[in-house]
């Protein structure tokens, strides 16, 4: 259970591409157990903000705080290890895989016998995902 008011805080995030400032000091605060829709016109910077959270882009400025702790996210593996998943915009998700599998991509819990943990534990995926949304 999160102890902080916000499970996620993105503070003062800026990101510039050649010729375009995609994000200019953006702040996003997410309380535990809440669902948010980030809305804006095409090119508003929604995907860029999420890519900064997911370690695809390094922000030029700003800070990401997870459950009160500064998060060092240098790549998507860092993000995944911190419990952050990204289902990418159209054309980018892995086709022929369902939403749950896309969420767990790269860090599937496994099951098996002893050291032979060779099978994806789908039930654990579902249980863990449920506990994230309930907490
Ligand atoms: N890799 C990139 N290189 C250069 N410019 C980029 C890059 N990615 C995004 N941009 C630019 O940054 C701005 C924000 O783009 P972004 O894709 O974040 O918007 P969006 O809100 O997700 O739009 P959409 O609703 O179309 O998905 C746009 O002007 C876009 O052209
Ligand atoms: Mg987008």
């Amino acid at each position: 259970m999160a102890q902080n008011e916000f499970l996620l805080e993105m503070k003062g995030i800026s990101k510039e591409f050649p010729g375009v400032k995609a994000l200019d000091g953006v702040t996003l605060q997410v309380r535990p157990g809440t669902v948010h829709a980030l809305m804006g016109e095409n090119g508003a910077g929604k995907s860029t903000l999420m890519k900064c959270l997911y370690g695809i882009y390094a922000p030029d400025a700003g800070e990401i705080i997870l459950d009160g702790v500064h998060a060092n996210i240098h790549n998507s593996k860092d993000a995944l290890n911190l419990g952050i998943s990204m289902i990418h915009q159209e054309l980018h998700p892995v086709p022929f895989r369902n939403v749950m599998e896309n969420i767990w991509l790269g860090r599937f819990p496994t099951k098996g016998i002893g050291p032979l943990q060779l099978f994806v534990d789908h039930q654990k995926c579902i249980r863990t995902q449920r506990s994230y949304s309930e907490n």
Side-chain angles (χ1 to χ4, degrees):
M1 186 72 167
Q3 294 172 344
N4 295 284
E5 183 181 4
F6 298 110
L7 188 57
L8 165 69
E9 288 183 86
M10 299 181 80
K11 285 185 174 171
I13 304 288
S14 296
K15 179 69 186 174
E16 195 162 351
F17 298 111
V20 55
K21 187 147 199 175
L23 302 173
D24 189 4
V26 174
T27 289
L28 173 72
Q29 294 175 310
V30 177
R31 289 189 171 83
T34 60
V35 176
H36 295 256
L38 197 57
M39 297 197 281
E41 63 188 24
N42 294 137
K46 307 175 295 290
S47 293
T48 303
L49 186 67
M50 291 304 102
K51 286 176 183 174
C52 288
L53 178 61
Y54 194 56
I56 294 171
Y57 295 146
D60 301 328
E63 189 185 12
I64 297 172
I65 300 166
L66 282 177
D67 208 3
V69 178
H70 171 86
N72 288 309
I73 302 173
H74 301 297
N75 51 51
S76 298
K77 195 69 186 163
D78 288 344
L80 287 166
N81 287 339
L82 289 166
I84 299 164
S85 293
M86 182 163 176
I87 307 297
H88 293 271
Q89 203 161 336
E90 80 280 1
L91 303 182
H92 296 299
V94 177
F96 313 116
R97 293 287 170 200
N98 63 29
V99 172
M100 180 64 75
E101 289 166 333
N102 271 279
I103 287 174
W104 285 95
L105 217 56
R107 58 187 176 130
F108 286 111
T110 54
K111 62 181 179 181
I113 302 165
L116 293 174
Q117 299 292 307
L118 299 175
F119 304 99
V120 172
D121 190 340
H122 290 280
Q123 286 308 316
K124 189 169 183 188
C125 290
I126 293 167
R127 277 199 313 275
T128 312
Q129 203 62 46
R130 271 207 187 115
S131 75
Y132 285 156
S133 11
E134 284 164 7
N135 286 335

mmCIF file of all heavy atoms in Angstrom, residues 65-97:
data_model
loop_
_atom_site.group_PDB
_atom_site.id
_atom_site.type_symbol
_atom_site.label_atom_id
_atom_site.label_comp_id
_atom_site.label_asym_id
_atom_site.label_seq_id
_atom_site.Cartn_x
_atom_site.Cartn_y
_atom_site.Cartn_z
ATOM 1 N N ILE A 65 9.036 10.914 -9.697
ATOM 2 C CA ILE A 65 9.033 10.412 -8.320
ATOM 3 C C ILE A 65 7.998 9.305 -8.219
ATOM 4 O O ILE A 65 6.835 9.496 -8.580
ATOM 5 C CB ILE A 65 8.693 11.555 -7.338
ATOM 6 C CG1 ILE A 65 9.744 12.671 -7.466
ATOM 7 C CG2 ILE A 65 8.631 11.050 -5.909
ATOM 8 C CD1 ILE A 65 9.335 13.968 -6.818
ATOM 9 N N LEU A 66 8.448 8.149 -7.753
ATOM 10 C CA LEU A 66 7.541 7.003 -7.594
ATOM 11 C C LEU A 66 7.377 6.717 -6.116
ATOM 12 O O LEU A 66 8.361 6.419 -5.427
ATOM 13 C CB LEU A 66 8.115 5.774 -8.287
ATOM 14 C CG LEU A 66 7.982 5.707 -9.815
ATOM 15 C CD1 LEU A 66 8.675 4.468 -10.331
ATOM 16 C CD2 LEU A 66 6.534 5.733 -10.237
ATOM 17 N N ASP A 67 6.144 6.817 -5.648
ATOM 18 C CA ASP A 67 5.846 6.554 -4.245
ATOM 19 C C ASP A 67 6.808 7.322 -3.328
ATOM 20 O O ASP A 67 7.350 6.767 -2.373
ATOM 21 C CB ASP A 67 5.922 5.047 -3.978
ATOM 22 C CG ASP A 67 5.004 4.652 -2.825
ATOM 23 O OD1 ASP A 67 4.289 5.527 -2.292
ATOM 24 O OD2 ASP A 67 5.023 3.470 -2.439
ATOM 25 N N GLY A 68 7.056 8.571 -3.673
ATOM 26 C CA GLY A 68 7.862 9.453 -2.821
ATOM 27 C C GLY A 68 9.358 9.372 -3.042
ATOM 28 O O GLY A 68 10.125 10.098 -2.404
ATOM 29 N N VAL A 69 9.792 8.505 -3.953
ATOM 30 C CA VAL A 69 11.233 8.298 -4.143
ATOM 31 C C VAL A 69 11.633 8.697 -5.564
ATOM 32 O O VAL A 69 10.978 8.297 -6.537
ATOM 33 C CB VAL A 69 11.612 6.813 -3.899
ATOM 34 C CG1 VAL A 69 13.099 6.582 -4.130
ATOM 35 C CG2 VAL A 69 11.216 6.395 -2.486
ATOM 36 N N HIS A 70 12.703 9.467 -5.681
ATOM 37 C CA HIS A 70 13.218 9.853 -6.998
ATOM 38 C C HIS A 70 13.530 8.596 -7.812
ATOM 39 O O HIS A 70 14.204 7.692 -7.328
ATOM 40 C CB HIS A 70 14.482 10.698 -6.831
ATOM 41 C CG HIS A 70 15.191 10.953 -8.124
ATOM 42 N ND1 HIS A 70 14.851 12.004 -8.953
ATOM 43 C CD2 HIS A 70 16.185 10.284 -8.745
ATOM 44 C CE1 HIS A 70 15.616 11.970 -10.029
ATOM 45 N NE2 HIS A 70 16.445 10.936 -9.930
ATOM 46 N N ALA A 71 13.004 8.533 -9.029
ATOM 47 C CA ALA A 71 13.217 7.333 -9.859
ATOM 48 C C ALA A 71 14.258 7.611 -10.929
ATOM 49 O O ALA A 71 14.181 8.620 -11.636
ATOM 50 C CB ALA A 71 11.897 6.928 -10.504
ATOM 51 N N ASN A 72 15.244 6.727 -11.005
ATOM 52 C CA ASN A 72 16.239 6.807 -12.076
ATOM 53 C C ASN A 72 15.799 5.870 -13.193
ATOM 54 O O ASN A 72 15.953 4.661 -13.092
ATOM 55 C CB ASN A 72 17.620 6.381 -11.557
ATOM 56 C CG ASN A 72 18.211 7.425 -10.644
ATOM 57 O OD1 ASN A 72 18.267 8.610 -10.993
ATOM 58 N ND2 ASN A 72 18.615 6.998 -9.461
ATOM 59 N N ILE A 73 15.248 6.445 -14.242
ATOM 60 C CA ILE A 73 14.753 5.625 -15.354
ATOM 61 C C ILE A 73 15.567 5.976 -16.595
ATOM 62 O O ILE A 73 15.379 7.033 -17.193
ATOM 63 C CB ILE A 73 13.250 5.873 -15.591
ATOM 64 C CG1 ILE A 73 12.458 5.557 -14.310
ATOM 65 C CG2 ILE A 73 12.747 5.022 -16.752
ATOM 66 C CD1 ILE A 73 10.989 5.928 -14.368
ATOM 67 N N HIS A 74 16.499 5.106 -16.942
ATOM 68 C CA HIS A 74 17.383 5.376 -18.079
ATOM 69 C C HIS A 74 16.988 4.586 -19.316
ATOM 70 O O HIS A 74 17.446 4.875 -20.411
ATOM 71 C CB HIS A 74 18.837 5.047 -17.711
ATOM 72 C CG HIS A 74 19.324 5.852 -16.538
ATOM 73 N ND1 HIS A 74 19.426 7.222 -16.580
ATOM 74 C CD2 HIS A 74 19.691 5.481 -15.289
ATOM 75 C CE1 HIS A 74 19.848 7.661 -15.405
ATOM 76 N NE2 HIS A 74 20.004 6.621 -14.602
ATOM 77 N N ASN A 75 16.177 3.551 -19.110
ATOM 78 C CA ASN A 75 15.723 2.747 -20.246
ATOM 79 C C ASN A 75 14.447 2.011 -19.827
ATOM 80 O O ASN A 75 14.013 2.092 -18.675
ATOM 81 C CB ASN A 75 16.825 1.751 -20.668
ATOM 82 C CG ASN A 75 17.326 0.949 -19.474
ATOM 83 O OD1 ASN A 75 16.535 0.368 -18.740
ATOM 84 N ND2 ASN A 75 18.638 0.928 -19.272
ATOM 85 N N SER A 76 13.874 1.315 -20.774
ATOM 86 C CA SER A 76 12.583 0.679 -20.504
ATOM 87 C C SER A 76 12.702 -0.460 -19.492
ATOM 88 O O SER A 76 11.749 -0.769 -18.786
ATOM 89 C CB SER A 76 11.975 0.161 -21.807
ATOM 90 O OG SER A 76 11.761 1.260 -22.656
ATOM 91 N N LYS A 77 13.862 -1.083 -19.441
ATOM 92 C CA LYS A 77 14.061 -2.149 -18.455
ATOM 93 C C LYS A 77 13.984 -1.568 -17.042
ATOM 94 O O LYS A 77 13.392 -2.176 -16.151
ATOM 95 C CB LYS A 77 15.423 -2.825 -18.709
ATOM 96 C CG LYS A 77 15.589 -4.142 -18.005
ATOM 97 C CD LYS A 77 14.680 -5.217 -18.586
ATOM 98 C CE LYS A 77 14.763 -6.492 -17.759
ATOM 99 N NZ LYS A 77 13.630 -7.388 -18.027
ATOM 100 N N ASP A 78 14.594 -0.369 -16.858
ATOM 101 C CA ASP A 78 14.479 0.298 -15.550
ATOM 102 C C ASP A 78 13.010 0.523 -15.215
ATOM 103 O O ASP A 78 12.567 0.287 -14.087
ATOM 104 C CB ASP A 78 15.175 1.673 -15.581
ATOM 105 C CG ASP A 78 16.691 1.565 -15.627
ATOM 106 O OD1 ASP A 78 17.225 0.483 -15.337
ATOM 107 O OD2 ASP A 78 17.335 2.584 -15.963
ATOM 108 N N ALA A 79 12.256 1.015 -16.218
ATOM 109 C CA ALA A 79 10.838 1.309 -15.986
ATOM 110 C C ALA A 79 10.091 0.033 -15.616
ATOM 111 O O ALA A 79 9.330 0.005 -14.639
ATOM 112 C CB ALA A 79 10.234 1.955 -17.222
ATOM 113 N N LEU A 80 10.309 -1.031 -16.382
ATOM 114 C CA LEU A 80 9.647 -2.306 -16.103
ATOM 115 C C LEU A 80 9.966 -2.792 -14.703
ATOM 116 O O LEU A 80 9.092 -3.245 -13.968
ATOM 117 C CB LEU A 80 10.074 -3.351 -17.136
ATOM 118 C CG LEU A 80 9.492 -3.187 -18.536
ATOM 119 C CD1 LEU A 80 10.252 -4.055 -19.533
ATOM 120 C CD2 LEU A 80 8.011 -3.528 -18.551
ATOM 121 N N ASN A 81 11.235 -2.667 -14.314
ATOM 122 C CA ASN A 81 11.638 -3.120 -12.980
ATOM 123 C C ASN A 81 10.959 -2.317 -11.875
ATOM 124 O O ASN A 81 10.808 -2.788 -10.755
ATOM 125 C CB ASN A 81 13.161 -3.034 -12.825
ATOM 126 C CG ASN A 81 13.861 -4.114 -13.622
ATOM 127 O OD1 ASN A 81 13.257 -5.128 -13.964
ATOM 128 N ND2 ASN A 81 15.129 -3.895 -13.951
ATOM 129 N N LEU A 82 10.562 -1.075 -12.213
ATOM 130 C CA LEU A 82 9.877 -0.239 -11.225
ATOM 131 C C LEU A 82 8.353 -0.416 -11.292
ATOM 132 O O LEU A 82 7.607 0.281 -10.608
ATOM 133 C CB LEU A 82 10.232 1.238 -11.455
ATOM 134 C CG LEU A 82 11.668 1.617 -11.082
ATOM 135 C CD1 LEU A 82 12.033 2.982 -11.654
ATOM 136 C CD2 LEU A 82 11.836 1.625 -9.566
ATOM 137 N N GLY A 83 7.901 -1.348 -12.152
ATOM 138 C CA GLY A 83 6.469 -1.622 -12.230
ATOM 139 C C GLY A 83 5.725 -0.753 -13.223
ATOM 140 O O GLY A 83 4.500 -0.671 -13.192
ATOM 141 N N ILE A 84 6.472 -0.092 -14.116
ATOM 142 C CA ILE A 84 5.836 0.770 -15.125
ATOM 143 C C ILE A 84 5.781 0.012 -16.447
ATOM 144 O O ILE A 84 6.801 -0.489 -16.922
ATOM 145 C CB ILE A 84 6.653 2.066 -15.324
ATOM 146 C CG1 ILE A 84 6.714 2.851 -14.019
ATOM 147 C CG2 ILE A 84 6.058 2.912 -16.449
ATOM 148 C CD1 ILE A 84 7.787 3.925 -14.000
ATOM 149 N N SER A 85 4.584 -0.076 -17.014
ATOM 150 C CA SER A 85 4.427 -0.701 -18.331
ATOM 151 C C SER A 85 3.900 0.322 -19.303
ATOM 152 O O SER A 85 3.241 1.279 -18.905
ATOM 153 C CB SER A 85 3.417 -1.841 -18.286
ATOM 154 O OG SER A 85 3.900 -2.893 -17.514
ATOM 155 N N MET A 86 4.153 0.102 -20.571
ATOM 156 C CA MET A 86 3.576 0.993 -21.582
ATOM 157 C C MET A 86 2.989 0.136 -22.700
ATOM 158 O O MET A 86 3.682 -0.706 -23.267
ATOM 159 C CB MET A 86 4.650 1.928 -22.136
ATOM 160 C CG MET A 86 4.111 2.904 -23.157
ATOM 161 S SD MET A 86 5.252 4.274 -23.416
ATOM 162 C CE MET A 86 4.399 5.145 -24.725
ATOM 163 N N ILE A 87 1.707 0.329 -22.949
ATOM 164 C CA ILE A 87 1.090 -0.269 -24.129
ATOM 165 C C ILE A 87 1.157 0.820 -25.188
ATOM 166 O O ILE A 87 0.529 1.864 -25.053
ATOM 167 C CB ILE A 87 -0.382 -0.649 -23.875
ATOM 168 C CG1 ILE A 87 -0.502 -1.531 -22.631
ATOM 169 C CG2 ILE A 87 -0.959 -1.348 -25.101
ATOM 170 C CD1 ILE A 87 0.191 -2.846 -22.722
ATOM 171 N N HIS A 88 1.912 0.582 -26.216
ATOM 172 C CA HIS A 88 2.202 1.649 -27.169
ATOM 173 C C HIS A 88 1.023 1.959 -28.064
ATOM 174 O O HIS A 88 0.108 1.146 -28.234
ATOM 175 C CB HIS A 88 3.431 1.281 -28.000
ATOM 176 C CG HIS A 88 4.670 1.253 -27.167
ATOM 177 N ND1 HIS A 88 5.449 2.378 -26.970
ATOM 178 C CD2 HIS A 88 5.238 0.270 -26.454
ATOM 179 C CE1 HIS A 88 6.460 2.066 -26.177
ATOM 180 N NE2 HIS A 88 6.356 0.793 -25.845
ATOM 181 N N GLN A 89 1.089 3.164 -28.629
ATOM 182 C CA GLN A 89 0.058 3.632 -29.548
ATOM 183 C C GLN A 89 -0.022 2.671 -30.731
ATOM 184 O O GLN A 89 0.894 1.886 -30.970
ATOM 185 C CB GLN A 89 0.444 5.039 -30.021
ATOM 186 C CG GLN A 89 -0.709 5.865 -30.502
ATOM 187 C CD GLN A 89 -0.353 7.354 -30.511
ATOM 188 O OE1 GLN A 89 0.534 7.774 -29.776
ATOM 189 N NE2 GLN A 89 -1.036 8.127 -31.329
ATOM 190 N N GLU A 90 -1.095 2.770 -31.486
ATOM 191 C CA GLU A 90 -1.353 1.854 -32.594
ATOM 192 C C GLU A 90 -0.112 1.606 -33.450
ATOM 193 O O GLU A 90 0.733 2.494 -33.611
ATOM 194 C CB GLU A 90 -2.507 2.386 -33.466
ATOM 195 C CG GLU A 90 -2.142 3.473 -34.457
ATOM 196 C CD GLU A 90 -2.040 4.851 -33.831
ATOM 197 O OE1 GLU A 90 -2.233 5.012 -32.619
ATOM 198 O OE2 GLU A 90 -1.725 5.791 -34.563
ATOM 199 N N LEU A 91 -0.031 0.422 -33.934
ATOM 200 C CA LEU A 91 1.083 -0.105 -34.749
ATOM 201 C C LEU A 91 2.250 -0.594 -33.904
ATOM 202 O O LEU A 91 3.052 -1.381 -34.377
ATOM 203 C CB LEU A 91 1.604 0.917 -35.778
ATOM 204 C CG LEU A 91 0.592 1.485 -36.773
ATOM 205 C CD1 LEU A 91 1.263 2.431 -37.756
ATOM 206 C CD2 LEU A 91 -0.102 0.365 -37.528
ATOM 207 N N HIS A 92 2.340 -0.132 -32.639
ATOM 208 C CA HIS A 92 3.509 -0.518 -31.852
ATOM 209 C C HIS A 92 3.340 -1.713 -30.925
ATOM 210 O O HIS A 92 4.332 -2.382 -30.638
ATOM 211 C CB HIS A 92 4.029 0.680 -31.046
ATOM 212 C CG HIS A 92 4.522 1.787 -31.921
ATOM 213 N ND1 HIS A 92 5.566 1.616 -32.795
ATOM 214 C CD2 HIS A 92 4.111 3.056 -32.075
ATOM 215 C CE1 HIS A 92 5.772 2.752 -33.451
ATOM 216 N NE2 HIS A 92 4.903 3.635 -33.044
ATOM 217 N N PRO A 93 2.111 -2.009 -30.421
ATOM 218 C CA PRO A 93 2.019 -3.193 -29.559
ATOM 219 C C PRO A 93 2.398 -4.467 -30.326
ATOM 220 O O PRO A 93 2.355 -4.496 -31.555
ATOM 221 C CB PRO A 93 0.533 -3.236 -29.170
ATOM 222 C CG PRO A 93 0.043 -1.863 -29.373
ATOM 223 C CD PRO A 93 0.838 -1.308 -30.513
ATOM 224 N N VAL A 94 2.771 -5.495 -29.577
ATOM 225 C CA VAL A 94 3.113 -6.760 -30.219
ATOM 226 C C VAL A 94 1.826 -7.398 -30.722
ATOM 227 O O VAL A 94 0.913 -7.667 -29.942
ATOM 228 C CB VAL A 94 3.819 -7.701 -29.227
ATOM 229 C CG1 VAL A 94 4.115 -9.042 -29.890
ATOM 230 C CG2 VAL A 94 5.098 -7.063 -28.706
ATOM 231 N N PRO A 95 1.708 -7.595 -32.023
ATOM 232 C CA PRO A 95 0.471 -8.161 -32.549
ATOM 233 C C PRO A 95 0.308 -9.613 -32.109
ATOM 234 O O PRO A 95 1.288 -10.270 -31.763
ATOM 235 C CB PRO A 95 0.636 -8.058 -34.073
ATOM 236 C CG PRO A 95 2.099 -7.942 -34.305
ATOM 237 C CD PRO A 95 2.718 -7.371 -33.059
ATOM 238 N N PHE A 96 -0.887 -10.102 -32.135
ATOM 239 C CA PHE A 96 -1.217 -11.485 -31.772
ATOM 240 C C PHE A 96 -0.904 -11.781 -30.309
ATOM 241 O O PHE A 96 -0.831 -12.935 -29.908
ATOM 242 C CB PHE A 96 -0.507 -12.490 -32.685
ATOM 243 C CG PHE A 96 -0.620 -12.132 -34.135
ATOM 244 C CD1 PHE A 96 0.503 -11.819 -34.882
ATOM 245 C CD2 PHE A 96 -1.863 -12.068 -34.746
ATOM 246 C CE1 PHE A 96 0.392 -11.464 -36.218
ATOM 247 C CE2 PHE A 96 -1.990 -11.711 -36.073
ATOM 248 C CZ PHE A 96 -0.858 -11.408 -36.817
ATOM 249 N N ARG A 97 -0.685 -10.736 -29.520
ATOM 250 C CA ARG A 97 -0.557 -10.895 -28.068
ATOM 251 C C ARG A 97 -1.646 -10.053 -27.435
ATOM 252 O O ARG A 97 -1.907 -8.943 -27.892
ATOM 253 C CB ARG A 97 0.816 -10.408 -27.575
ATOM 254 C CG ARG A 97 1.966 -11.258 -28.053
ATOM 255 C CD ARG A 97 1.986 -12.570 -27.322
ATOM 256 N NE ARG A 97 2.934 -13.498 -27.921
ATOM 257 C CZ ARG A 97 2.886 -14.809 -27.744
ATOM 258 N NH1 ARG A 97 1.940 -15.349 -27.020
ATOM 259 N NH2 ARG A 97 3.771 -15.592 -28.301
#
